[in-house]
Amino acid sequence: MPENRRKIIIDTDPGQDDAIAIMLALASPHLEVLGIVSVAGNVPVAQTATNACKILELAERRDIKVYAGCARPLRRTPITAEHVHGQSGMDGPTLPAPTIALQAQHGVDFLIDTIRAHPAGAITVVTLGPMTNLAMALVKAPDIAQRVEQAVSMGGAYSECGNITPNAEFNMFADPDAADIVLRSHIPLTLLPLDVTHQFLVTPPRLAQLRAMPGRCAQAAASMLGFSERFDLEKYGWDGSPLHDPCTIGWLLAPDLFSGREVNVSVQVDGPLMQGATAVDWWHVTDRPVNARFLRHVDSDGLWSLLAGHLARLP
């Protein structure tokens, strides 16, 4: 293992694509996963916590602890996405009930305590779902904003509009108030929006490559994607389904595969038409301060090679 592995906490709502993002992180010798925090999102928080435990057991990483975080958004009515991910959130493979015990500590408190226990700039928080837990941590312990190295989040959209409403990406729409808190927190933030994830498609040849791999993690990933792609293929009519959350870990491992720019991003917290929409000042036409690295492009072939190569390392 490299001596200077990047320490990360994964905040997640698994989700088939969350599961594959977690697998990618577990397979990398350059990342040290300090813990996984679940959040309500694709399915309720109890199920996302169970799903996180299942992924760790599948990958034989029982050393990593799982903490349940917030059970609902800060203010808005909760929404879920079983219509995409199935009732379990990870429909596809048949995975046994996990034997890993969920930690008693609340996920928000784990975030705060872990960030405070490490030197400033030591920890990256990766959010794969709504930003509820990170926002709650910032409200409860504002000092952690100065201690986090960065946050890397799947969320938002510019040219790709929305995937849950005409104007909003799911994670932003699921808790826009939380996203607003994080965007205003001054934490160095990188956003992987739909603009990027809609370029990273699981095409039939890529899915066939996964299915040909011998490891049970790769087989489970293929089964998950074989389930979730049905919704997206019908919705978009593309030659593959977008793979959202692994883009976050992909950027941490190979940032040269991505491009974007430093901009101001704001989120609409209310409104019947625009709730959860992200206003991206791409051309710097306002005087709003830069608060995010907003990525727009990805080398899809390069990222797929990275992902497939890492999944091949897992059991």
Side-chain angles (χ1 to χ4, degrees):
M1 289 285 185
E3 290 184 6
N4 296 318
R5 292 188 294 163
R6 185 189 297 273
K7 299 179 186 298
I8 68 171
I9 298 171
I10 299 177
D11 191 297
T12 179
D13 61 336
Q16 289 91 348
D17 58 324
D18 302 68
I20 295 167
I22 293 168
M23 290 182 199
L24 176 57
L26 297 177
S28 173
H30 299 288
L31 299 177
E32 179 183 358
V33 180
L34 300 180
I36 294 179
V37 182
S38 73
V39 68
N42 288 322
V43 287
V45 69
Q47 187 63 51
T48 61
T50 295
N51 290 348
C53 292
K54 287 182 177 182
I55 298 160
L56 292 176
E57 290 203 350
L58 183 71
E60 297 182 359
R61 290 300 305 273
R62 295 174 181 83
D63 56 301
I64 298 173
K65 293 180 171 56
V66 177
Y67 303 79
C70 293
R72 55 158 296 138
L74 297 184
R75 186 167 60 97
R76 65 150 294 142
T77 302
I79 62 165
T80 52
E82 288 92 346
H83 64 291
V84 179
H85 299 280
Q87 289 304 304
S88 75
M90 292 197 319
D91 281 17
T94 300
L95 299 176
T99 59
I100 293 176
L102 190 66
Q103 299 300 297
Q105 186 181 31
H106 194 281
V108 170
D109 294 322
F110 168 74
L111 278 169
I112 294 169
D113 290 351
T114 307
I115 292 166
R116 284 176 169 171
H118 285 77
I123 292 178
T124 291
V125 178
V126 181
T127 69
L128 307 180
M131 297 183 184
T132 314
N133 290 327
L134 181 55
M136 282 293 294
L138 287 164
V139 170
K140 189 173 182 180
D143 59 286
I144 67 171
Q146 305 303 315
R147 301 187 65 82
V148 174
E149 178 187 12
Q150 62 180 331
V152 180
S153 302
M154 190 276 131
Y158 179 47
S159 59
E160 290 296 300
C161 304
N163 64 350
I164 188 66
T165 73
N167 300 296
E169 177 274 327
F170 177 84
N171 287 339
M172 293 290 182
F173 184 70
D175 199 340
D177 298 281
D180 184 55
I181 289 170
V182 174
L183 286 164
R184 296 175 185 272
S185 70
H186 303 292
I187 290 176
L189 173 65
T190 297
L191 287 174
L192 282 298
L194 297 182
D195 307 65
V196 166
T197 69
H198 281 184
Q199 298 172 38
F200 187 42
L201 304 182
V202 183
T203 59
R206 289 175 176 175
L207 189 56
Q209 181 184 358
L210 279 187
R211 286 176 170 151
M213 291 183 184
R216 63 174 176 270
C217 286
Q219 288 297 308
S223 183
M224 289 179 196
L225 294 175
F227 177 89
S228 62
E229 74 169 2
R230 294 177 294 178
F231 176 84
D232 286 328
L233 293 177
E234 181 178 351
K235 176 181 179 179
Y236 296 112
W238 296 339
D239 64 351
S241 59
L243 188 52
H244 304 284
D245 291 337
C247 293
T248 58
I249 304 298
W251 182 80
L252 283 174
L253 296 177
D256 290 347
L257 296 176
F258 299 81
S259 64
R261 65 174 64 163
E262 306 279 341
V263 298
N264 179 272
V265 180
S266 303
V267 62
Q268 183 74 32
V269 297
D270 284 308
L273 297 179
M274 301 298 289
Q275 186 177 43
T278 42
V280 180
D281 189 8
W282 188 255
W283 300 113
H284 301 291
V285 296
T286 75
D287 59 0
R288 293 194 292 267
V290 166
N291 64 351
R293 178 189 291 110
F294 191 89
L295 301 176
R296 292 280 309 276
H297 303 284
V298 61
D299 175 349
S300 181
D301 288 338
L303 183 56
W304 180 259
S305 295
L306 177 79
L307 175 61
H310 279 67
L311 289 179
R313 300 174 182 173
L314 294 174

